[in-house]
Each structure stands twice: as C-alpha cells, then as structure tokens.
Amino acid sequence: MNYRELGPTGWKVSEVSFGAWAIGHAWGQVDDKDSLAALHKSIDMGVNFIDTADVYGDGRSERLVAKVRKERSETIHVATKAGRRLDPHTADGYNSQNLTAFIERSLKNLDTDCLDLVQLHCPPAEVYYRPEVFGALDDLVRAGKIRYYGVSVEKVEEALKAIEYPGVQTVQIIFNMFRHRPSELFFAEAKRRQVGILARVPLASGMLTGKMNKTTSFATDDHRNFNRHGEAFDVGETFSGVDYDTGLAAVERLREAVPAGATLTQLALRWILMFDAVTCAIPGAKRPSQAEDNILAAELPALTGEQMRVVRDVYEDCIKERVHHLW
Ligand SMILES: NC(=O)c1ccc[n+]([C@@H]2O[C@H](COP(=O)([O-])OP(=O)(O)OC[C@H]3O[C@@H](n4cnc5c(N)ncnc54)[C@H](OP(=O)(O)O)[C@@H]3O)[C@@H](O)[C@H]2O)c1
C-alpha cells in the first residue's frame, strides 16, 4: 500500500481506502459479518482511512466502523458526514444547532470523543454561499468535537467555492473513468490550496468492475434499482450519472486498457491514482474478496501512455457529450 498526504491534516492515508456506504444500506442485503470481514481484510492490507456517513443505514455503517476500530491496534482515520438527516434537506437546516446535534450522534455511533473528519454531505448549493455554516464548523473544531472538516460535493463549481473557506481541508467528489471533469480546473486549484481529494464512486457503482450486462438486476432496496435516474437522491450518484447501456458499451471498450494480469476494477482504481492531486479512492466493498481486488490496484505500476489514451478516447467518444457539462 502507498500512502498520500491528506491535505494539511498531517495524516498519510492509504491511496486505496474504504467507502462504507454499501455496508450501511441501499445496496441490497448485506451481512454484517461480511462487512466486518471486508473492513478487517482492508486494514490487514494497509487501509487506514474509511469514509462513512451518519445516514448510511441510519448509523449502522458508523457503528460497524467503530467496532472494527476497537478491534484493531492500528490508527484508522474515519471520515463521516452530516446534513442528510435533514428533512426537508434545505440550506436553512445547515445551522449550528442541527450540525451540533448530528455531530453528537456520530460521536456516539463512532464511540469516540472527537470525530476525525466531518464532511457536509452534498448540501444544497446555497450552503457554499453561507460563511456562517463554515463558522459553525470552526466552532465545533474549537469545542474539540471534530478535528477537521471538509465537504462532499455534487458539482465541480461547488468544490471550487467550498475551498475558498480556509477551514475546508478535504473535498469528496465523483471522479472515475466516466467522470473526468474534476481533473480540469479543480485539481489544480485544490493542489494550490493543499486540499485533500477523496475520489468517490470510483467504480461507477460497480459498473466499472465489468461484471454487469443488459440482464443484470438489482434488489428492490438497491439504489441501482430505485435511483437509476436520480429519483430518490441526486442524479449523478448512481452509476455516476451515466446511462446504463451507454456505460456497458464504454466498459467493453475499456477492457483493451486493462494491464496484463490485472482486472478492470484495478484499471479503474489505478487510473484514478494516476492523478497526483487525488489523495485516495474510496471504493465500496461488501466482502473481503472485493476489498482485496480493489486494494491490489495500488500495487500496479503506473499506467502507460497508451492505456491512458484508451481511457481518454472512450470518454471522448462515448461519455463526454452526455455528462461533461452536467457536473
Ligand atoms: N454523497 C456522497 O457523499 C457519497 C455518495 C456516494 C458514495 N459516497 C462514498 O463513496 C464510496 C464509494 O462509492 P460507492 O460505494 O457509491 O460506489 P463504488 O465504490 O463505485 O461501487 C461500490 C460497489 O461496487 C461493487 N464492487 C466493489 N468492489 C468490487 C469488486 N472488486 N468486484 C466486483 N464488484 C465490486 C459492490 O457492490 P455489488 O457487489 O453489489 O455490485 C460495491 O458496493 C461510498 O461507499 C461512500 O463512502 C459518498
């Protein structure tokens, strides 16, 4: 495993880390035993950073992470998120009182006195224009409730706005072989300001593992069934916003770029790591075998110019026109 500096936090985090949404909810049936084993396997292989949220299984994901952290002697940095418990989910809800209550709940779930990193959880765009929200987070840092804070964003423009606030140490954004736009302007800006970048949905909800086809079906409680077109939460999250059949066709062409002896999954993750502005990719994994497949991407040598060209061409030919301007 290789480690990269996470913004100005002083932490060096595993470049392939762990996304803990699927072990919470909204991805079909997941057994806690498998989830715990996936987390342990990841830590065995050098993962020291886990991304979760208070709403993943209404605390289930945070509690599993807490359990694993207690069972291990290694230092494990945990990023959680706040804001999505708001109903309705409005900018006004992002106030000091609500944020404090969400943080208190995550402190309990994660069984700790101070949260390592709290990210605003894809708030409405208006929130980025309210300095008082970031002031409230500064107060929580001063109160010793959270060590650092950052944002999880939908759009590149939100990311650019968010990093104008000096307290924002990290940005979580969708970046994968189907979503190239963050690498244009945002990465340079984030690097200039020494902001850490967490690449979320790195496998386009599993599509970039190459295991899906036209007849693949998903459980009724799997967001790949009920949020395919953004019905339940934001468009752009499920399959990273790429139309399913378009994604399948692009995946077939991407196979050409898979390094000898590697998997398409590993190509997808190694491609993300080719960008030095990225601190880490946070693929979800529901069982140890998936975690292992993902983490081994960090062992691959750098992709060749030719492999990078194939990925770029597939994006230009199949994807760009449909998604580039949306986020
Ligand atoms: N708004 C936000 O802030 C936000 C939104 C989305 C995600 N995130 C974060 O980003 C993380 C990653 O994104 P994601 O979980 O949405 O999507 P992802 O990492 O692109 O895909 C994860 C899913 O792909 C499948 N998979 C993973 N590794 C595999 C492998 N080696 N072989 C075959 N299948 C594999 C698993 O599902 P199946 O086995 O069921 O196919 C897994 O749940 C999340 O866990 C969460 O921490 C944050």
Side-chain angles (χ1 to χ4, degrees):
M1 179 59 73
N2 303 307
Y3 298 84
R4 298 186 185 190
E5 302 271 352
L6 181 67
T9 62
W11 303 341
K12 293 188 101 179
V13 305
S14 43
E15 55 185 17
V16 177
S17 286
F18 191 99
W21 177 21
I23 65 169
H25 83 309
W27 289 78
Q29 190 79 17
V30 184
D31 186 331
D32 284 353
K33 271 206 212 85
D34 293 336
S35 303
L36 291 167
L39 285 162
H40 276 297
K41 179 76 185 172
S42 300
I43 297 167
D44 291 344
M45 293 181 73
V47 168
N48 70 349
F49 183 80
I50 301 170
D51 177 73
T52 181
D54 56 355
V55 286
Y56 294 165
D58 199 23
R60 179 188 182 192
S61 172
E62 286 185 327
R63 288 189 293 271
L64 286 168
V65 170
K67 181 168 165 50
V68 165
R69 199 151 62 159
K70 282 248 146 30
E71 290 170 2
R72 303 293 299 217
S73 56
E74 298 90 337
T75 299
I76 310 294
H77 306 290
V78 176
T80 191
K81 308 190 194 78
R84 287 277 160 167
R85 293 180 64 73
L86 292 168
D87 185 16
H89 183 234
T90 61
D92 287 343
Y94 283 78
N95 56 47
S96 178
Q97 193 187 351
N98 286 336
L99 286 171
T100 303
F102 298 152
I103 273 43
E104 289 296 346
R105 192 169 173 279
S106 286
L107 284 167
K108 279 204 189 80
N109 283 336
L110 283 164
D111 197 8
T112 184
D113 299 331
C114 179
L115 300 176
D116 293 341
L117 174 66
V118 172
Q119 305 154 95
L120 298 181
H121 198 166
C122 292
E126 173 67 20
V127 163
Y128 301 105
Y129 296 86
R130 296 189 179 184
E132 62 272 25
V133 176
F134 298 87
L137 292 167
D138 288 329
D139 289 343
L140 285 159
V141 171
R142 273 191 292 273
K145 299 285 183 186
I146 65 182
R147 203 155 285 128
Y148 299 113
Y149 66 84
V151 292
S152 184
V153 301
E154 292 294 348
K155 294 184 188 346
V156 169
E157 282 65 28
E158 293 167 349
L160 287 165
K161 180 68 188 163
I163 62 177
E164 288 180 10
Y165 296 97
V168 170
Q169 317 261 328
T170 61
V171 170
Q172 181 177 141
I173 192 163
I174 299 185
F175 181 60
N176 63 36
M177 294 197 292
F178 286 171
R179 292 279 288 268
H180 293 202
R181 190 163 174 258
S183 65
E184 289 180 347
L185 176 61
F186 170 60
F187 281 5
E189 265 309 287
K191 252 177 99 167
R192 194 171 70 77
R193 293 177 189 260
Q194 210 201 341
V195 170
I197 296 178
L198 314 181
R200 82 166 181 268
V201 197
L203 302 174
S205 313
M207 167 78 73
L208 289 172
T209 66
K211 68 180 178 182
M212 292 171 189
N213 59 48
K214 279 189 194 300
T215 60
T216 303
S217 62
F218 302 98
T220 46
D221 58 346
D222 187 323
H223 70 101
R224 293 168 294 186
N225 182 13
F226 66 77
N227 191 53
R228 201 174 278 204
H229 307 290
E231 298 90 331
F233 36 88
D234 305 281
V235 181
E237 220 53 72
T238 302
F239 299 121
S240 69
V242 172
D243 160 70
Y244 190 77
D245 290 334
T246 304
L248 287 181
V251 161
E252 284 318 304
R253 284 188 53 188
L254 286 168
R255 293 187 196 279
E256 189 195 327
V258 175
T263 63
L264 187 69
T265 305
Q266 290 160 0
L267 166 72
L269 296 173
R270 190 64 185 87
W271 180 84
I272 291 169
L273 301 181
M274 290 296 287
F275 296 80
D276 66 355
V278 171
T279 311
C280 62
I282 49 168
K286 292 164 144 178
R287 57 191 81 93
S289 57
Q290 289 186 344
E292 183 174 17
D293 185 18
N294 298 346
I295 293 162
L296 287 174
E299 308 297 324
L300 289 182
L303 298 181
T304 64
E306 179 56 17
Q307 288 161 336
M308 293 300 285
R309 186 194 59 75
V310 171
V311 178
R312 197 168 49 244
D313 286 355
V314 171
Y315 182 71
E316 295 282 339
D317 296 348
C318 307
I319 309 283
K320 187 172 182 179
E321 193 188 347
R322 296 161 192 257
V323 306
H324 200 75
H325 54 290
L326 295 179
W327 299 282

